[in-house]
């Protein structure tokens, strides 16, 4: 299938696997580790995150996105109905509905932007600035300049913020990260 579905726990793994979804793995908790990502990357660079739709699951996805990008993974995020996890969803709606949710997964950019828009009031300048300040570190994790430029363009359009302003803020972040790296390197 050339992608792996990452779920949280045992039952989230067992029920889909028994229903025929064999490209599925469980992180066994909400803390996806670099070691797990590197092991997974031996098999595929494409993952679909499918954690529970509760606050802990959503926060875990957000935390995992940057790690996945840093490890060179292509990431999508699938969501289920509120209150459902993969186990309960398949029991209620069947494996075909489950596969349809996977097929309709969002890009990590779309998912994180939607999550941040729900968290911050983007009708205000301050709210848009907060969303940007949380999106830019993720965008800057991409090594490919074309991908970064496209995500900056999309963020600009989504929030009605100039691309030039986003670029300036992006460069500030890069400069800050470089300074932090210099400080921790032995002299």
């Amino acid at each position: 299938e050339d992608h792996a579905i990452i779920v949280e726990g045992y039952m989230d793994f067992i029920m889909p696997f028994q229903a025929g979804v064999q490209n599925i793995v469980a992180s066994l908790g909400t803390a996806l580790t670099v070691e797990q990502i590197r092991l997974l990357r031996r098999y595929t660079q494409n993952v679909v995150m499918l954690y529970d739709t509760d606050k802990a699951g959503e926060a875990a996805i957000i935390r995992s996105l940057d790690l996945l990008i840093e490890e060179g993974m292509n990431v999508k995020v699938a969501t289920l109905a509120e209150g459902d996890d993969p186990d309960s969803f398949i029991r209620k709606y069947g494996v075909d509905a489950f596969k349809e949710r996977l097929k309709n997964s969002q890009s990590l950019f779309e998912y994180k932007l939607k999550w941040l828009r729900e968290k911050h009031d983007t009708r205000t300048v301050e709210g848009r600035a907060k969303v940007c300040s949380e999106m830019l570190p993720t965008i800057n994790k991409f090594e490919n300049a074309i991908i970064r430029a496209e995500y900056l363009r999309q963020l600009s359009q989504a929030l009605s913020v100039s691309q030039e302003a986003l670029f300036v803020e992006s460069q500030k972040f890069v400069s800050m990260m470089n300074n932090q790296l210099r400080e921790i390197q032995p002299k």
Side-chain angles (χ1 to χ4, degrees):
E1 307 251 351
D2 195 27
H3 73 277
I5 304 151
I6 303 175
V7 295
E8 282 183 57
Y10 296 108
M11 293 308 292
D12 298 327
F13 167 83
I14 291 170
M15 184 52 99
F17 190 84
Q18 287 179 338
V21 180
Q22 295 188 351
N23 58 324
I24 191 166
V25 297
S27 62
L28 300 181
T30 57
L32 184 65
T33 67
V34 172
E35 292 78 17
Q36 289 173 322
I37 295 168
R38 289 178 180 164
L39 179 61
L40 193 54
R41 194 178 59 211
R42 292 181 189 176
Y43 302 96
T44 184
Q45 287 187 284
N46 305 306
V47 297
V48 177
M49 297 293 295
L50 181 59
Y51 279 11
D52 297 352
T53 54
D54 57 15
K55 290 205 181 294
E58 288 179 343
I61 288 174
I62 296 299
R63 281 193 312 272
S64 300
L65 293 179
D66 287 354
L67 279 178
L68 288 159
I69 296 165
E70 287 172 0
E71 292 300 318
M73 303 297 273
N74 302 313
V75 186
K76 290 192 169 197
V77 181
T79 56
L80 302 175
E82 182 142 352
D84 274 327
D85 57 28
D87 172 43
S88 65
F89 188 88
I90 286 179
R91 289 176 194 268
K92 284 185 207 172
Y93 305 107
V95 71
D96 290 335
F98 181 78
K99 288 179 179 178
E100 188 65 25
R101 290 291 181 120
L102 294 171
K103 191 173 105 178
N104 293 323
S105 57
Q106 300 174 295
S107 74
L108 71 93
F109 178 86
E110 293 168 321
Y111 181 84
K112 186 169 184 177
L113 181 59
K114 180 179 179 265
W115 185 79
L116 289 170
R117 289 178 101 166
E118 291 170 1
K119 187 175 163 186
H120 302 293
D121 182 2
T122 56
R123 293 172 296 179
T124 68
V125 172
E126 294 81 9
R128 289 192 302 272
K130 286 179 184 175
V131 170
C132 291
S133 72
E134 293 186 50
M135 283 298 291
L136 289 174
T138 299
I139 292 170
N140 280 318
K141 300 257 184 230
F142 287 94
E143 288 186 24
N144 187 300
I146 296 168
I147 293 172
R148 283 194 314 267
E150 177 58 21
Y151 283 152
L152 286 173
R153 185 191 66 74
Q154 288 180 28
L155 185 59
S156 168
Q157 285 183 334
L159 298 177
S160 298
V161 174
S162 79
Q163 279 187 262
E164 294 78 16
L166 287 174
F167 184 76
V168 167
E169 290 302 311
S170 180
Q171 292 307 304
K172 284 182 189 176
F173 175 78
V174 170
S175 178
M176 180 187 71
M177 293 306 294
N178 288 337
N179 288 337
Q180 287 177 352
L181 280 174
R182 274 188 234 116
E183 288 175 9
I184 62 172
Q185 289 179 345
K187 295 181 183 196

